[in-house]
Amino acid sequence: MTIITVYAVFPTPADAEAIGRAMVEERLAACVNILTPCLSFYRWEGKTSRAPETPALFKTDSDRAGRLIEAIAARHPYEVPAITAWPADALPAYARWVSES
């Protein structure tokens, strides 16, 4: 079984917490780690922008990753949210827990 880490950034810690909690309650993610706010620089609408953002790491399995990404995007306040995913090696017991959760 493949564990997937989904990374997303949110405009505020409250947004990250609300969406993170919903994803765990809906069983699309086994857990979410909400990290310390960071400073992001990016191009948007032809300008370089600067904004504080709150990153979060969601853990899920390959069967739920697509639905998780779609559910985060549907609730996300950004017009084009930054959501990426990658496979992660994990201890077998942890991988089972993620899949069962």
Side-chain angles (χ1 to χ4, degrees):
M1 102 191 51
T2 301
I3 299 304
I4 304 294
T5 299
V6 175
Y7 172 83
V9 293
F10 300 90
T12 68
D15 290 320
E17 183 174 341
I19 293 171
R21 178 179 292 274
M23 298 303 96
V24 172
E25 288 175 351
E26 292 176 24
R27 298 183 61 104
L28 292 174
C31 66
V32 59
N33 302 116
I34 299 171
L35 307 177
T36 302
C38 65
L39 183 59
S40 295
F41 291 89
Y42 54 93
R43 292 197 55 76
W44 182 250
E45 297 179 343
K47 297 185 295 188
T48 299
S49 298
R50 172 189 184 273
E53 294 185 299
T54 302
L57 298 168
F58 298 79
K59 274 64 126 237
T60 192
D61 62 20
S62 56
D63 292 339
R64 284 176 250 186
R67 287 182 288 148
L68 172 61
I69 291 167
E70 289 174 11
I72 294 168
R75 291 166 173 80
H76 205 289
Y78 288 166
E79 183 179 335
V80 181
I83 305 170
T84 60
W86 59 86
D89 291 331
L91 292 170
Y94 181 75
R96 276 191 304 279
W97 175 80
V98 168
S99 185
E100 292 167 1
S101 294

